[in-house]
Amino acid sequence: MSLALMACATLPNYERPRVYLTHLQFQEASMLAQTFLLRLRIDNPNDTALPINGIDIELILNGHSLAQGLSNQFLAVPRFGSAEVEVRATTTLISLLQQVLFLQGQEKLSYKIAGRLHLARTLGFGQSDFPFQEKGVLDLATLQKRSTRLNAVPGGR
């Protein structure tokens, strides 16, 4: 019991990392499902590496849920550093058609990503996840002329 209490006392107390959507790309389509590739940049403001062993995410366009994704990729975000990870998100044909109909005549597209970063636990103890959320606006005319790389990231790459 005392060993468990000592382990809890030495666990790092992480400050919330910042998560940004840096890239959005359509990947593939079938009759019932479509897949997008989302690239996320995770900034770690902590003095210790952030051991992430899973991510779940939802992509919301103009206030409507479009796609959900999961990743079980292990990622150690360096102390006071950043790392990027790719997550595949899937949508249904109905959700995609609703978005296409809604976008007709629109010049701007508001997006939001929301989800959780799941941390590797130390001896089964400690904080297990961090919720995150980021919002932005995309100019559809600009996106049609350029790649789908997003430039709203502080210190963008």
Side-chain angles (χ1 to χ4, degrees), residues 42-97:
I42 303 167
D43 290 347
N44 179 9
N46 297 287
D47 192 21
T48 58
L50 191 64
I52 298 170
N53 70 358
I55 299 171
D56 64 83
I57 189 168
E58 179 179 21
L59 174 62
I60 300 164
L61 296 180
N62 292 325
H64 297 44
S65 178
L66 175 66
Q68 296 79 35
L70 298 169
S71 173
N72 65 355
Q73 178 181 348
F74 180 81
L75 178 69
V77 184
R79 61 187 284 277
F80 300 118
S82 299
E84 289 194 357
V85 62
E86 292 182 342
V87 179
R88 292 194 185 287
T90 305
T91 187
T92 63
L93 180 61
I94 293 172
S95 293
L96 186 61
L97 289 176

Side-chain angles (χ1 to χ4, degrees), residues 4 23 121-122 148:
H23 191 80
R121 296 181 185 184
T122 306
T148 54

